[in-house]
Amino acid sequence: MVTRALPPAWLRNDALTAAILAVLGAGMVGLLSAAGLEMFEFPLWRQMLGASLLAVPLVWRRRYPITAALGTTALYIVLPYTLGIDLYASQVVLFLAFYSIGAWSAQRGWALIVRITISAVMAVWLVSSMFGGFG
């Protein structure tokens, strides 16, 4: 198993990336609300909180890429039903977490299994949400 060396200041950079995406997500919720295009019936503060929480696992995306991606995916599925999220910056968060598995995981076999599992779970969730009236 070949381990890819973490770059200097990786934690600071990933925390900064997560913070920027959290602010962008919360900002998108605010902009959509101001435009009268709210996607969820939760109070604005809850939607902003949900959009911000979604980015938290990205703080560890290089050190624990599989865990970060699984956490992001779980939040992406749960948050729309509990707090709300934005539907724009959240896509970037989800894809960055997914990308990080391939870019940073030294466990190539597990990385493949996790990516296939995430893709299958997301497909089932999207189809069931489509028929269940998501949004």
Side-chain angles (χ1 to χ4, degrees), residues 48-91:
M48 290 178 145
L49 177 62
S52 299
L53 287 176
L54 182 64
V56 170
L58 292 182
V59 172
W60 302 280
R61 73 180 188 89
R62 292 184 217 227
R63 182 71 176 100
Y64 305 105
I66 291 174
T67 304
L70 290 171
T72 301
T73 302
L75 286 171
Y76 191 85
I77 291 172
V78 170
L79 286 173
Y81 302 103
T82 57
L83 294 174
I85 59 173
D86 86 289
L87 297 178
Y88 303 102
S90 64
Q91 297 296 308

Side-chain angles (χ1 to χ4, degrees), residues 4 10 24 41 43 45 62 77 83 89 97 99 101 103 112:
R4 185 173 174 189
W10 67 271
L24 285 173
E41 295 181 10
W45 71 269
R62 292 184 217 227
I77 291 172
L83 294 174
Y99 158 80
I101 296 171
L112 178 62

